[in-house]
């Protein structure tokens, strides 16, 4: 099972296990990071699961859909490593991933 590092909004890092087949949003939420609101429950309509992916893993993620891209545009904190974590499936390729929870808009 991939081990990933989550950086919360205060900059604190935690190492968590990420079961293959879950989404990154579910893993972060289920590990008690309440600041990741994920209000729509993962159906790509709220953008409150915004995260920044470390550069070394970013390219290995599935391509962003138009919906995800449009939603991310609504965040003033969007950067080149932004993703909606509910759209990122956990795979073995994410071993060692470092993900940072974006500030709340
Ligand atoms: S949880 Fe709403 S867009 Fe990801």
């Amino acid at each position: 099972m991939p081990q990933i590092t989550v950086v919360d909004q205060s900059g604190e890092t935690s190492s968590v296990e990420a079961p293959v087949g879950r989404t990154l949003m579910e893993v972060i939420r289920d590990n008690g990071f309440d600041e990741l609101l994920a209000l729509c429950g993962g159906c790509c309509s709220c953008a409150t699961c915004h995260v920044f992916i470390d550069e070394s893993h970013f390219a290995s993620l599935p391509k962003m859909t138009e919906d995800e891209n449009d939603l991310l545009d609504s965040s003033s904190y969007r950067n080149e490593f932004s993703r909606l974590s509910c759209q990122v499936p956990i795979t073995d390729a994410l071993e060692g991933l470092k993900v940072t929870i974006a500030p709340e808009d």
Side-chain angles (χ1 to χ4, degrees):
M1 185 181 315
Q3 196 81 21
I4 67 171
T5 299
V6 180
V7 184
D8 70 16
Q9 288 169 339
S10 69
E12 200 167 307
T13 64
S14 312
S15 185
V16 303
E17 291 188 338
V20 171
R22 308 297 306 278
T23 67
L24 185 54
M25 176 278 275
E26 290 169 332
V27 169
I28 296 172
R29 184 194 60 192
D30 294 352
N31 277 279
F33 294 91
D34 295 340
E35 57 198 27
L36 191 92
L37 300 176
L39 291 175
C40 77
C43 53
C44 198
S45 62
C46 73
T48 59
C49 64
H50 183 188
V51 295
F52 306 123
I53 305 288
D54 69 273
E55 189 172 356
S56 54
H57 286 89
F58 192 79
S60 66
L61 300 185
K63 216 170 157 321
M64 194 180 289
T65 63
E66 216 171 292
D67 283 349
E68 182 180 356
N69 190 34
D70 289 348
L71 272 173
L72 280 170
D73 271 345
S74 68
S75 170
S76 33
Y77 297 102
R78 183 176 191 172
N79 70 22
E80 60 186 315
F81 301 113
S82 287
R83 289 299 303 255
L84 295 180
S85 55
C86 70
Q87 301 303 301
V88 176
I90 301 296
T91 64
D92 287 326
L94 296 191
E95 173 63 41
L97 171 84
K98 186 174 174 188
V99 57
T100 302
I101 300 174
E104 205 175 320
D105 273 295

